[in-house]
Amino acid sequence: MLSRIAESLFWIGRYIERADGTARILDVYLQLLLEDVAVDEDTACRALLGVMGHDAPPERKLTRVDVVNTLATDRSQPASIAYSVNAARENARRAREIISTELWEVLNATYANMPRRVSPEQVHVMFGWVRERAALAGGMADSTASRDDAWSFLNLGRFIERADMVARLLATRALTEASGPSWTTILRSVGAYEAYLRTYRGVPSSTNAAEFLLLDRLFPRSILFSIRGAEDCLHDIEPRHDRVGYVDPAQRMLGQIRAELEFTPIQEIIERLPTVMDKVQSTTTAVSHAVRERYFPTHNLPAWTREAS
């Protein structure tokens, strides 16, 4: 496979997942601002922008409208949903000879219908629409792609981005502490509530909910599931035949963070949740750079504030 095609597929997967994850995080926290009048809006908005990798302007107070404009509809802002939708469509155009017509049509239609402005009353509807379009794009990829290297590169991007986005969601919960959304809200935001109930059969507690989203080996949006999925994709792209160790730094870094999560007691992880989530995000960034250097070194990494820093 050509290097440029592999890179485009990798970033299609990442940008689809990034749009979905950003919509989920914004939906949860903007709804919290509406429901809890005790939460300081400026502080909450700055914390949210910081977690999403965007530096908030210090000269004025921020509102939820600023957050929506910056992280949802601004097509020039690399951290926004609109930017991710545009970037996914542009990468699909470059890989047009590889991806299916159905996937191309989904991404193209999503780009064409992405709103440039949205009122406060419409944000919840827009976020739901973004999640549905991301799910449709993922479903089209699942049902129309051969399970070859192209599939592995696309899914590698999806898994790396999903681990990063769930880490960001848990980091925002840790930063807001008691004023943040409940664990039930967090679980619902990632579609995990019913799966959690079937697993733990009780009202979500901080320990069980964090454990489920971090370490569950069967739930597809847990961080551990995503890291293991990324490892499997790298193995499929380049099976390991060495008798000792790992030559690929991306596989080595994924294995290290997976082992740290699996073998650290959950209470210790919860006590250091912001630090651990920051390490997960740093690892996904480093893995993305390592994949670029190994498989498409002649191309520039698409810009995003977190990864550019």
Side-chain angles (χ1 to χ4, degrees):
M1 180 186 297
L2 293 176
S3 174
R4 65 174 180 83
I5 297 296
E7 182 180 31
S8 292
L9 292 166
F10 176 78
W11 283 101
I12 289 171
R14 288 207 69 168
Y15 279 124
I16 290 173
E17 198 64 38
R18 184 173 296 175
D20 178 81
T22 303
R24 291 176 183 276
I25 293 172
L26 290 180
D27 200 13
V28 168
Y29 283 88
L30 292 179
Q31 190 66 31
L32 173 67
L33 288 176
L34 287 173
E35 295 175 353
D36 192 347
V37 295
V39 176
D40 180 69
E41 189 169 5
D42 178 67
T43 302
C45 290
R46 290 182 184 279
L48 182 55
L49 287 172
V51 168
M52 298 305 294
H54 180 80
D55 294 329
E59 65 275 5
R60 61 184 178 86
K61 286 192 174 183
L62 298 179
T63 67
R64 70 197 68 163
V65 175
D66 296 316
V67 171
V68 171
N69 290 339
T70 301
L71 297 181
T73 58
D74 187 349
R75 301 191 179 209
S76 65
Q77 172 52 246
S80 74
I81 296 171
Y83 185 97
S84 295
V85 169
N86 180 37
R89 185 253 190 190
E90 180 61 22
N91 278 282
R93 186 185 63 79
R94 294 172 185 166
R96 187 66 188 84
E97 66 268 34
I98 296 294
I99 67 171
S100 67
T101 299
E102 289 86 351
L103 178 56
W104 163 251
E105 289 176 346
V106 168
L107 295 175
N108 197 41
T110 306
Y111 164 78
N113 292 293
M114 183 70 199
R116 294 183 179 273
R117 293 185 184 85
V118 60
S119 67
E121 297 78 20
Q122 296 174 320
V123 290
H124 179 70
V125 174
M126 191 202 79
F127 294 147
W129 176 79
V130 170
R131 293 198 304 269
E132 289 175 0
R133 299 302 296 184
L136 182 58
M140 285 299 180
D142 288 346
S143 60
T144 61
S146 298
R147 270 39 177 181
D148 53 13
D149 282 353
W151 166 257
S152 295
F153 274 112
L154 190 145
N155 272 290
L156 176 60
R158 291 170 70 183
F159 282 127
I160 290 175
E161 191 67 34
R162 184 172 294 178
D164 179 87
M165 278 301 184
V166 175
R168 289 175 189 273
L169 183 61
L170 293 176
T172 58
R173 174 65 176 85
L175 286 174
T176 52
E177 294 295 341
S179 64
S182 67
W183 282 105
T184 297
T185 302
I186 295 289
L187 290 167
R188 288 189 184 279
S189 73
V190 295
Y193 185 65
E194 287 76 14
Y196 171 88
L197 291 180
R198 288 196 298 273
T199 303
Y200 289 91
R201 303 183 184 279
V203 176
S205 66
S206 59
T207 300
N208 290 345
E211 183 178 66
F212 188 72
L213 292 176
L214 278 163
L215 304 175
D216 193 271
R217 295 187 177 93
L218 301 181
F219 182 65
R221 286 192 174 276
S222 77
I223 292 177
L224 183 62
F225 187 101
S226 299
I227 290 173
R228 292 173 68 132
E231 287 183 285
D232 291 341
C233 289
L234 286 171
H235 182 268
D236 290 340
I237 292 168
E238 190 173 348
R240 184 171 70 93
H241 301 295
D242 301 325
R243 293 177 61 174
V244 177
Y246 285 88
V247 175
D248 185 358
Q251 286 184 297
R252 188 164 55 248
M253 287 184 285
L254 286 171
Q256 288 171 342
I257 192 67
R258 173 178 53 79
E260 182 174 336
L261 290 173
E262 283 190 298
F263 292 99
T264 302
I266 186 61
Q267 285 296 343
E268 184 176 335
I269 293 178
I270 291 175
E271 290 171 2
R272 302 186 298 113
L273 193 56
T275 302
V276 175
M277 294 302 95
D278 186 65
K279 186 170 183 178
V280 171
Q281 293 172 51
S282 299
T283 299
T284 59
T285 299
V287 168
S288 185
H289 280 280
V291 169
R292 179 192 60 170
E293 293 298 324
R294 188 170 184 85
Y295 296 106
F296 20 88
T298 60
H299 296 83
N300 293 323
L301 185 70
W304 194 36
T305 305
R306 170 70 185 180
E307 297 191 3
S309 62

